Amino acid sequence: QVQFVESGGGLVQPGGSLRLSCAASESINRIYTVAWYRQAPGKQRELVADITNGGIVNYGDSVKGRFTISRDNNKNTVYLQMNDLKPEDTAVYYCNRLAPLTRRPSASWGQGTQVTVSS
């Protein structure tokens, strides 16, 4: 089963930017949809954005217009460009594959990468 390793998180001031990377342990050419999730302390994990193999993207309402998801199948990597970051974006960010029909994430989660937005 493919494993994902997230990286690129850090501490950033409000209004700043970060680019997260999600590296897969094997080819993602046959993985139809890959998604970014986030989980803030005391909150449930929420879907941030997802992208299909054909480049169709979907964003959560709270990040529309600020975040951009992309994928490079040649590098087996999915990216999340985050601009105009807000304190409420503070969370651990994870990536995962989504099942084609149910859009449910797999049961296997990586360590995630911490994003902290604070002045």
Side-chain angles (χ1 to χ4, degrees), residues 11-117:
L11 173 63
V12 63
Q13 293 186 343
S17 298
L18 282 174
R19 188 194 195 203
L20 305 184
S21 297
C22 166
S25 59
E26 57 188 67
S27 173
I28 62 172
N29 284 322
R30 295 188 177 184
I31 298 177
Y32 186 68
T33 304
V34 181
W36 280 98
Y37 283 80
R38 67 186 181 188
Q39 187 167 22
K43 294 187 177 182
Q44 289 188 335
R45 194 169 292 172
E46 65 169 337
L47 178 66
V48 175
D50 60 79
I51 183 168
T52 70
N53 227 346
I56 299 172
V57 298
N58 172 62
Y59 295 97
D61 288 341
S62 62
V63 306
K64 284 181 181 177
R66 301 188 297 121
F67 290 10
T68 302
I69 189 172
S70 61
R71 66 191 283 170
D72 185 338
N73 285 0
N74 292 326
K75 295 183 179 180
N76 298 326
T77 302
V78 178
Y79 303 98
L80 185 68
Q81 177 67 43
M82 306 187 297
N83 298 329
D84 189 24
L85 283 161
K86 304 176 179 181
E88 51 264 41
D89 295 317
T90 295
V92 179
Y93 285 71
Y94 304 87
C95 57
N96 206 335
R97 62 187 300 172
L98 299 186
L101 296 179
T102 66
R103 288 180 51 82
R104 290 178 179 175
S106 78
S108 177
W109 294 90
Q111 295 297 311
T113 186
Q114 175 71 48
V115 172
T116 303
V117 184

